[in-house]
Amino acid sequence: HSRAQIHLKYKHFEEAEVDAKLALRYDSTQANYALTLIDILFYQNKTRQVKDLLLAVQHRYANPELYLKLAELYLLIRSYQDAINAVNAALKIDAQLAKAYFLKANIYRESGDTAKAISSYETALEQNPQLHDAQYDLGLIYAAKLNPLALTYFERVIQAQPNDSLVRYAYAYTLQNINRPAEALQAYKALVTQFPNYADAHYN
């Protein structure tokens, strides 16, 4: 199993798959062996094998990660209700799993249900206030609505990740779109000072 993980790290997918399958054959009680094999198959885009393996082992282990992998697979093929059902199964095992609420938010967002997406992102942050991806995504949703609340979420991410050029740009662009040009210019200038080659910031 350790060797499979190393092969995966260096993108030796065929060797990684062989070792992961051997590990799972020798000890089928280990959920992390199955998860490693699923990751290897995902990287190779063997989605059919991923689905078959997940459906075969999901009830064998009381491990929410397996259901989240299944949800990711359903999201990939845009089977949104199946994806939500898989996330809910993970939450039955661990109701405080922030990444489950974050994934559920992504599913709702992609399916066009913005209200439920916001609610799930907020729940994810209740479970883990340091989940900066959720803060960033909430910022993007509110920015699309021209809601100044977006700035609050972007500011939190900037405070935690001051070298994240993407969120700095989103912050400046939101100021521009909600008609606060002086502040937008200041934000863009700060961005290009730190990242001189950020073309869109210069353009705006």
Side-chain angles (χ1 to χ4, degrees):
H1 178 244
S2 297
R3 189 169 63 183
Q5 291 177 309
I6 294 170
H7 278 309
L8 177 59
K9 178 181 177 181
Y10 290 104
K11 299 183 180 180
H12 305 155
F13 297 127
E14 291 182 7
E15 296 91 338
E17 184 176 341
V18 169
D19 275 340
K21 285 180 176 178
L22 283 171
L24 192 59
R25 185 187 305 168
Y26 292 145
D27 188 354
S28 61
T29 66
Q30 300 294 323
N32 58 324
Y33 294 179
L35 285 165
T36 296
L37 179 55
I38 288 162
D39 284 338
I40 293 164
L41 295 172
F42 251 130
Y43 273 110
Q44 298 177 89
N45 202 31
K46 295 182 177 179
T47 52
R48 178 47 126 180
Q49 290 186 46
V50 170
K51 182 179 179 181
D52 290 344
L53 179 58
L54 282 166
L55 292 176
V57 303
Q58 62 179 331
H59 300 300
R60 185 186 303 169
Y61 313 107
N63 190 313
E65 294 290 337
L66 290 166
Y67 289 100
L68 295 185
K69 294 289 185 185
L70 187 58
E72 288 176 15
L73 179 63
Y74 283 131
L75 177 58
L76 190 66
I77 61 175
R78 299 180 180 178
S79 183
Y80 299 123
Q81 189 55 55
D82 287 332
I84 291 294
N85 293 342
V87 173
N88 288 338
L91 289 169
K92 285 183 180 179
I93 300 172
D94 184 353
Q96 297 180 321
L97 195 59
K99 64 191 299 185
Y101 293 108
F102 178 72
L103 179 55
K104 182 184 273 192
N106 288 339
I107 297 164
Y108 282 132
R109 184 181 176 191
E110 187 170 314
S111 66
D113 195 333
T114 306
K116 286 185 178 179
I118 291 172
S119 177
S120 292
Y121 281 131
E122 289 173 344
T123 304
L125 287 169
E126 287 172 8
Q127 303 305 321
N128 180 7
Q130 306 306 315
L131 194 58
H132 303 307
D133 286 345
Q135 293 170 338
Y136 177 68
D137 286 344
L138 276 170
L140 292 178
I141 289 174
Y142 283 116
K145 297 174 180 290
L146 301 181
N147 187 327
L149 185 58
L151 299 173
T152 301
Y153 288 107
F154 290 144
E155 285 165 358
R156 290 174 186 171
V157 182
I158 291 170
Q159 186 175 7
Q161 300 171 179
N163 295 322
D164 189 329
S165 60
L166 199 63
V167 70
R168 284 186 172 277
Y169 178 79
Y171 179 74
Y173 190 59
T174 301
L175 286 168
Q176 176 181 338
N177 286 338
I178 64 174
N179 199 27
R180 288 163 62 173
E183 293 170 85
L185 279 171
Q186 186 177 358
Y188 282 130
K189 287 176 181 177
L191 176 58
V192 298
T193 298
Q194 190 172 1
F195 303 95
N197 297 321
Y198 206 118
D200 285 343
H202 284 290
Y203 178 83
N204 284 5

